[in-house]
Amino acid sequence: MAEFRKTGRVGRTVAAILAYAGWAVVAVGLLLALAGALTGATPGAGAPAAGAGPIARVAAAALGAGIALIGLFAVMMAAQTRAALDTADLTRELLSLTRRRQDPRPAAPVVSPKPVPDAAADDVPPMPPSPRPRLAATEDKPGRKRVHPIFSARPPK
């Protein structure tokens, strides 16, 4: 595959920028989570109350953790974009390989030989009749057929 080349330079560049930005958001989110866990207050919200409890520390760290998750989502979308572009390139390459390897001669039709009756096949018994034959629709009133209870909207009598 010496002639294989990656296409979609713009899409790959945008995906790379999105991945770098996502990792930057992850780093900021982790720093915010660490600061919130240590101080007990969301950074930028003012000074924490004296002796912030563990619930306040977890709540303050949750904001940073949420921001870090958003950054990880951006990184994941960038990886998915690169994978989609790689799949398109490889599919294009497989198609070109298939077209180059096709035989220009038309394929001869495959004809199977006529089946020869087998003497041992005659001892197979015929299929038995259905054990429960289908019932014909009966008429409730003259000119009106009674519907089977399974297919009616009203309960059976």
Side-chain angles (χ1 to χ4, degrees):
M1 287 204 294
E3 66 273 353
F4 176 73
R5 67 185 196 292
K6 289 186 175 185
T7 58
R9 284 185 16 210
V10 173
R12 289 181 196 283
T13 304
V14 169
I17 291 171
L18 183 63
Y20 289 132
W23 283 118
V25 170
V26 168
V28 168
L30 290 178
L31 288 175
L32 286 174
L34 181 65
L38 292 178
T39 63
T42 304
I55 293 177
R57 292 179 187 274
V58 170
L63 174 68
I67 291 173
L69 285 176
I70 290 171
L72 286 176
F73 184 76
V75 171
M76 181 185 69
M77 288 292 105
Q80 183 177 4
T81 301
R82 283 192 305 268
L85 292 170
D86 288 342
T87 301
D89 290 338
L90 291 173
T91 303
R92 188 179 304 110
E93 180 66 21
L94 283 173
L95 181 62
S96 69
L97 284 174
T98 304
R99 284 183 178 161
R100 275 187 264 146
R101 288 186 183 171
Q102 274 185 342
D103 193 2
R105 294 174 289 151
V110 178
V111 179
S112 60
K114 288 191 175 187
V116 178
D118 188 10
D122 292 341
D123 63 348
V124 177
M127 285 292 291
S130 177
R132 202 170 78 182
R134 297 183 119 192
L135 299 175
T138 58
E139 293 185 3
D140 267 354
K141 297 175 185 171
R144 183 173 155 209
K145 292 185 177 182
R146 190 173 84 188
V147 180
H148 191 276
I150 285 182
F151 303 114
S152 67
R154 58 180 185 241
K157 294 179 185 177

